[in-house]
Amino acid sequence: MLSEFSLIDRYFARRASAPSPHHRDEAARPRGIGDDCALIAPPAGHQLAISTDMLVEGRHFFPDVDPRALGHKALAVNLSDLAAMGAQPHAFTLALALPRAEEAWLEAFSDGMFALAEHFDCALIGGDTTSGPLNMCITVFGNVPHHAALRRDAAQPGDDLYVSGLLGDAHAGLGHALSEWTTPDDATAMQWKRALEWPEPRVELGIALRGVAHAALDISDGLTGDLMHILKRSNLRAVVDADAVPCSDALRNLPDAARRQCALAGGDDYELCFTAPVSAREALAAIAKRVGVGVTRIGTIESGAPAIEWRDTHGAPLSLTLQSFDHFHAD
Amino acid sequence: MLSEFSLIDRYFARRASAPSPHHRDEAARPRGIGDDCALIAPPAGHQLAISTDMLVEGRHFFPDVDPRALGHKALAVNLSDLAAMGAQPHAFTLALALPRAEEAWLEAFSDGMFALAEHFDCALIGGDTTSGPLNMCITVFGNVPHHAALRRDAAQPGDDLYVSGLLGDAHAGLGHALSEWTTPDDATAMQWKRALEWPEPRVELGIALRGVAHAALDISDGLTGDLMHILKRSNLRAVVDADAVPCSDALRNLPDAARRQCALAGGDDYELCFTAPVSAREALAAIAKRVGVGVTRIGTIESGAPAIEWRDTHGAPLSLTLQSFDHFHAD
């Protein structure tokens, strides 16, 4: 059994304080663990974008989840919020409540977390460790030039509506784990599980969208609910081709209702949803190619009271019954 | 039962977005809840001091604690970290896991938290709400001029050693709640309970110590353990007069061993411990008077391997057996 301080030292502080080869300017490197506070400053002309997410066992992940995947996902969902604002990851803090200090678990958890952190040159600068029911709270800091942050309230009538990547596999993985549906093959089950456990934050895409997209957010609670945030904050409506929403071949194996529930209202996708003027179509195609992430046009933004009008491929109205995710109602 | 979003809106977002009369410069006011990230920037020539603390039911507070006190303390322990660095509170995020959305509890909790936040003009700028075992994680942001932050590694041989306020009442309150000792009267019990539940972060003192103190931290885990952080980071030793450590008259009612355990090793005090050159004695007396917080000289810093040498009032060595606080060993 490790004491609190040797635990912090062994699994977190050592790697937190390792100098990164990318931080050539010593003064710009955040001061890390060891004082009461970490000290950071955004570069001149930049703001700090800040987001915090709390993950709870049994609510956001299964008790038997691979701790390496959990370490990855705990940070990934926060980086996804930076991506949604077009911010460049810079640093993060980790607060961790653990029922017990298990070395194998901590090693895998920290490995998964630091692999992603190092990929984005995002330094662990502080944290807190306590005993308690498993809970992890990460707060992440990114740099974004003044007035360049992508926001939810900036959609314009006539904008195209886009999503990145494929939607629904994560929710399909959740439903599969809960035996709500079965898969025809193990490869599909693996693909869904991977989507659920190893989301890829669209950081490069978010940064590339600065000055191109109007409004943006990340899809964490399902397209329907999250798109409504853009519509309410921008006071506009959307017309969306439900069947244009990109999803994997694996998802097409599910019955229509289940597939649409996954793709249109399933949570945990961590893709970006954004609006952009029609004039940006060519630029967006080039950006998608450059960052290696698919970007699909799924509808248009129009004047009118905040609402989503679903259409099918032929433009006919679709009446969909979708349940958005709510931590105090969903199961 | 409230949904997640109406809960955030009712108890947090509304007060978070209320403009403060102190933030006259609109551009300097942090952008709050509603986007994927909050956006803040320290003033020119300043850094952001950042600290995060997680509070868990049954570990950091009793299940039947007054939620108003809990809201206060959850923020206070974070502001205390800013105080320890000499940083001016600016903003905070709150992540909250709740077993259920109880309106009376949320109202009292948010009232206690916002009363303290408003006192220090510290804005709630973002957060996360989920269901789960009661857990709250606050990350706090303060402004401090470049190179002015008080650190743990800056003690100098010959420095005086100080603490603010009175130590030990909070731990006495904990011991009383756990029936480890009794009090002669209800007034004493109330005083201890208040010290445990309503700590006062020494923000004004911390800011006043910029450029005066050498090393500083806040006493959250007990004087002994926390002072050792300064000594290890500064690679110095301390000689401390155990009986000079200031404590309340109420604490003097306890037997010597219990009193010393409370004052020298009890956690949850949130007073500042700092070192300063002998030449600063007059300035420190003036600061203490101005900010209205007692400051007591309890020892000296010397060259030598990190260790605390305890002395009694007559300068004779004292051998003390004290247990410092460790989240994975203490009960």
Side-chain angles (χ1 to χ4, degrees):
Chain A
M1 180 86 115
L2 293 165
S3 79
E4 177 184 5
F5 293 108
S6 63
L7 182 162
I8 292 172
D9 192 54
R10 184 173 311 177
Y11 293 105
F12 299 105
R14 193 172 36 116
R15 296 183 70 170
S17 58
S20 154
H22 299 278
H23 280 119
R24 289 194 196 85
D25 175 6
E26 187 64 23
R29 187 138 63 84
R31 274 188 61 85
I33 288 172
D35 264 300
D36 290 87
C37 298
L39 294 171
I40 68 175
H46 287 65
Q47 289 178 294
L48 273 185
I50 300 174
S51 180
T52 193
D53 272 297
M54 178 174 267
L55 270 65
V56 175
E57 184 176 78
R59 164 61 59 182
H60 301 94
F61 56 90
F62 293 108
D64 64 349
V65 68
D66 172 5
R68 191 176 307 265
L70 186 59
H72 170 93
K73 186 166 175 174
L75 182 58
V77 302
N78 279 282
L79 293 176
S80 180
D81 285 317
L82 293 186
M85 300 284 282
Q88 174 77 52
H90 181 58
F92 69 106
T93 59
L94 167 70
L96 192 57
L98 293 169
R100 60 207 156 267
E102 250 174 50
E103 302 194 35
W105 190 96
L106 279 162
E107 175 130 16
F109 175 81
S110 60
D111 271 359
M113 192 182 71
F114 280 115
L116 185 64
E118 283 158 16
H119 177 76
F120 287 113
D121 200 20
C122 189
L124 178 64
I125 55 166
D128 192 17
T129 320
T130 178
S131 65
L134 188 56
N135 182 311
M136 53 212 67
C137 181
I138 287 180
T139 305
V140 77
F141 311 99
N143 295 322
V144 60
H146 276 288
H147 310 298
L150 302 169
R151 289 156 47 167
R152 296 179 174 185
D153 62 1
Q156 298 291 327
D159 275 0
D160 291 326
L161 176 67
Y162 295 85
V163 294
S164 68
L166 306 172
L167 300 191
D169 274 5
H171 191 74
L174 181 64
H176 183 249
L178 297 172
S179 302
E180 288 180 16
W181 42 71
T182 54
T183 57
D185 56 81
D186 287 354
T188 298
M190 286 298 293
Q191 179 180 333
W192 288 349
K193 186 178 160 81
R194 185 164 178 87
L196 180 63
E197 296 188 349
W198 294 87
E200 290 180 47
R202 300 306 188 190
V203 170
E204 297 90 346
L205 177 60
I207 293 169
L209 290 178
R210 288 179 197 160
V212 178
H214 282 158
L217 50 53
D218 75 324
I219 305 175
S220 52
D221 296 337
L223 174 61
T224 305
D226 285 322
L227 173 54
M228 280 304 296
H229 292 311
I230 288 182
L231 301 178
K232 282 181 184 162
R233 300 260 304 180
S234 302
N235 201 24
L236 294 169
R237 68 196 296 274
V239 178
V240 184
D241 177 352
D243 296 319
V245 174
C247 59
S248 68
D249 290 341
L251 205 63
R252 292 186 199 283
N253 290 326
L254 288 182
D256 271 9
R259 177 176 51 80
R260 283 184 175 144
Q261 179 67 31
C262 289
L264 307 183
D268 268 348
D269 285 319
Y270 304 103
E271 295 293 347
L272 299 187
C273 173
F274 59 96
T275 80
V278 173
S279 60
R281 286 183 189 177
E282 213 165 304
L284 283 168
I287 286 170
K289 196 170 170 187
R290 177 160 59 79
V291 302
V293 176
V295 157
T296 307
R297 187 152 48 88
I298 61 168
T300 54
I301 302 294
E302 298 182 348
S303 297
I308 303 171
E309 185 181 318
W310 298 103
R311 300 268 176 91
D312 70 12
T313 324
H314 311 292
L318 260 183
S319 174
L320 294 178
T321 310
L322 299 166
Q323 177 66 48
S324 186
F325 191 76
D326 181 319
H327 283 290
F328 288 99
H329 285 119
D331 51 10
Chain B
M1 181 85 116
L2 293 165
S3 80
E4 178 183 2
F5 294 107
S6 63
L7 184 162
I8 292 172
D9 192 53
R10 184 173 312 177
Y11 294 105
F12 299 106
R14 193 172 36 115
R15 296 183 69 167
S17 57
S20 153
H22 300 279
H23 279 121
R24 287 193 197 86
D25 175 5
E26 187 63 22
R29 188 139 61 83
R31 272 188 62 84
I33 289 172
D35 263 300
D36 290 87
C37 297
L39 295 171
I40 69 175
H46 287 63
Q47 289 178 294
L48 273 185
I50 300 174
S51 180
T52 193
D53 272 296
M54 179 175 267
L55 271 65
V56 175
E57 184 177 78
R59 165 61 59 181
H60 300 93
F61 55 90
F62 293 108
D64 64 349
V65 68
D66 172 5
R68 192 176 306 266
L70 185 59
H72 169 93
K73 184 166 176 175
L75 182 57
V77 302
N78 279 282
L79 293 176
S80 180
D81 285 317
L82 293 185
M85 300 285 281
Q88 174 77 52
H90 181 57
F92 69 107
T93 60
L94 167 71
L96 193 57
L98 293 169
R100 60 206 157 269
E102 250 173 49
E103 303 194 35
W105 190 96
L106 280 162
E107 176 130 16
F109 175 81
S110 60
D111 270 0
M113 192 182 71
F114 281 115
L116 185 64
E118 284 158 15
H119 177 76
F120 287 113
D121 200 19
C122 188
L124 177 66
I125 55 167
D128 193 15
T129 321
T130 178
S131 66
L134 188 57
N135 182 310
M136 54 212 68
C137 181
I138 287 181
T139 305
V140 76
F141 310 99
N143 296 321
V144 60
H146 277 289
H147 311 298
L150 302 169
R151 289 155 49 167
R152 296 178 174 187
D153 62 1
Q156 297 292 327
D159 274 1
D160 291 325
L161 177 65
Y162 295 85
V163 294
S164 67
L166 305 173
L167 299 191
D169 275 4
H171 192 74
L174 182 64
H176 182 250
L178 296 172
S179 301
E180 289 180 14
W181 43 70
T182 53
T183 57
D185 56 82
D186 287 354
T188 297
M190 285 299 292
Q191 178 180 334
W192 288 350
K193 186 178 159 81
R194 186 165 176 87
L196 180 64
E197 296 188 349
W198 293 88
E200 289 180 48
R202 300 306 188 189
V203 170
E204 297 90 345
L205 177 62
I207 293 170
L209 290 179
R210 289 180 196 159
V212 178
H214 282 156
L217 48 54
D218 74 323
I219 304 174
S220 52
D221 295 337
L223 174 62
T224 305
D226 285 322
L227 173 55
M228 281 305 296
H229 293 311
I230 287 182
L231 300 178
K232 283 181 183 163
R233 302 261 303 181
S234 302
N235 200 25
L236 294 169
R237 68 196 295 275
V239 178
V240 184
D241 177 353
D243 296 320
V245 174
C247 59
S248 68
D249 291 340
L251 205 64
R252 292 185 200 284
N253 291 326
L254 288 182
D256 271 8
R259 177 175 51 80
R260 282 184 175 143
Q261 179 65 33
C262 289
L264 307 182
D268 268 347
D269 284 320
Y270 303 103
E271 294 294 346
L272 299 187
C273 171
F274 59 95
T275 80
V278 173
S279 60
R281 287 184 189 177
E282 212 166 306
L284 283 168
I287 286 170
K289 195 170 171 188
R290 177 160 59 80
V291 302
V293 176
V295 156
T296 307
R297 187 152 48 88
I298 61 167
T300 54
I301 302 295
E302 299 182 348
S303 297
I308 303 173
E309 186 182 316
W310 297 104
R311 300 267 176 91
D312 69 13
T313 323
H314 310 292
L318 259 184
S319 174
L320 295 177
T321 310
L322 299 166
Q323 177 67 47
S324 186
F325 191 76
D326 182 318
H327 282 291
F328 287 99
H329 284 119
D331 50 10

